[in-house]
Amino acid sequence: MSSYNNNSVRLNAATKVAVFGGTHGNEMSGVTLVNLWMKNSNEIQRKGVETKPFITNPKAVEKCTRYVDTDLNRAFTAENLSAPGGESLPYEVWRAQEINNMFGPKGSPEAYDVIFDLHNTTSNMGCTLILESSKDHFNLQMMNYIKKALAPASCLVLLNEHPLLKYSTSRSVAKHPVGLEVGPQPQGVLRSNIFDSMRVIIKHALDFIELFNEDVEFPPCTVEVFRVLERVDYPRDANGNIIAMVHPNLQDCDWEPLNPGDPMFQTFDGKTIHYQGPGTVYPTFINEAAYYEKQQAFVTTKRETLVASAVKKS
Ligand SMILES: CC(=O)N[C@@H](CC(=O)O)C(=O)O
Ligand SMILES: [Zn+2]
């Protein structure tokens, strides 16, 4: 619970922290880092915090596939979490209930304070932190801390609080859910640069939590975020088959401005399809492999500057 005191948001110490890997079993940086930390967790321990490394979808990891029955990172709905049926449920629905029992219950005071969920993308997104709320001042302060600690390397913040496009993530059982999405990395593949970037972001994030728990007050700050606006599907024929690819001018240009009239898709017979929106947007998750099944070629975002209140331990 938060209350305001001298304009500073007061929060309890963040003592229960988890790092999830393998929410998608073919995203290898998170799987590998979490497996490493399960053998020896010294690197992720900090004073006054217990950090638990955890493989969320072991069956998918074993098969090196995104999921077995259904996408675990969409499964944490109130309906799924209360569904009867036990082991007769789809594997990931059952697993979501188990994770909710261990790290939640979602929305309850007993829930974990912070969960970092490690993902890789085939898109050229670089280092991206994913937030689910613009009002979580603890997380906004953490984003600011990580960005400053990483500079001159960069790390962008994707904010998904879209009423229709937001989904029920594994990390959403925590009070402060943080997604970490690093790419480009093919599915089933490890790249050392991507692995190292992910590792250093988790280091800074845990350092922030340690400082917070040691009573450091973080003064008000601003954080640049990219807010999810719209899902854009591939052009399709009447039978629903894809008839175009991401245009070469857009491919790999995640986070770069896309203006009305700019090339967006290239049909198989060589025609260019242009972006027709009303103004400049910042596309991301461009040509993500896992999103073909979700009818998404990319997502558009708009840049926003959020103000984070000061935060301090109560
Ligand atoms: C490529 C990929 O899996 N991205 C994640 C993003 C997130 O964690 O919010 C997902 O769709 O679940
Ligand atoms: Zn993923």
Side-chain angles (χ1 to χ4, degrees), residues 91-243:
Y91 172 69
E92 281 85 1
V93 174
W94 171 82
R95 185 68 177 157
Q97 293 185 355
E98 197 166 68
I99 292 166
N100 188 47
N101 291 336
M102 293 179 70
F103 296 93
K106 182 169 171 171
S108 77
E110 301 86 68
Y112 263 56
D113 295 298
V114 184
I115 295 176
F116 299 102
D117 194 17
L118 307 183
H119 291 259
N120 291 119
T121 174
T122 62
S123 305
N124 187 29
M125 288 168 69
C127 294
T128 304
L129 289 148
I130 308 181
L131 296 188
E132 311 192 349
S133 164
S134 58
K135 299 186 177 69
D136 184 333
H137 295 272
F138 177 86
N139 269 354
L140 289 174
Q141 287 286 353
M142 190 196 306
M143 299 302 107
N144 180 57
Y145 179 89
I146 294 170
K147 278 167 156 287
K148 298 234 148 96
L150 274 175
S154 94
C155 182
L156 301 182
V157 178
L158 178 63
L159 171 64
N160 188 355
E161 51 181 11
H162 191 286
L164 302 174
L165 298 180
K166 186 171 173 168
Y167 36 83
S168 305
T169 58
S170 313
R171 56 189 177 267
S172 70
V173 301
K175 291 175 185 135
H176 306 287
V178 179
L180 179 46
E181 185 75 75
V182 190
Q185 179 169 273
Q187 297 177 337
V189 170
L190 263 178
R191 290 178 53 115
S192 52
N193 59 329
I194 302 296
F195 177 93
D196 290 346
S197 299
M198 187 172 265
R199 191 177 205 162
V200 73
I201 290 169
I202 290 298
K203 175 210 155 2
H204 294 314
L206 294 170
D207 289 348
F208 169 84
I209 293 172
E210 179 173 61
L211 291 170
F212 176 82
N213 288 344
E214 283 175 339
D215 279 319
V216 171
E217 174 160 4
F218 294 86
C221 67
T222 58
V223 185
E224 180 188 72
V225 303
F226 291 80
R227 180 187 288 274
V228 168
L229 282 184
E230 263 191 314
R231 175 172 69 204
V232 179
D233 188 14
Y234 294 92
R236 292 172 191 272
D237 66 16
N239 298 320
N241 297 314
I242 287 176
I243 56 164

Side-chain angles (χ1 to χ4, degrees), residues 24 27 66 71 73-74 117 119-121 130 167 169 171 179 181 285 288 290-291 294:
H24 296 130
E27 297 176 6
R66 183 171 174 91
D71 194 334
N73 219 26
R74 305 290 181 278
D117 194 17
H119 291 259
N120 291 119
T121 174
I130 308 181
Y167 36 83
T169 58
R171 56 189 177 267
E181 185 75 75
F285 278 120
E288 160 56 46
Y291 291 169
K294 302 189 196 298

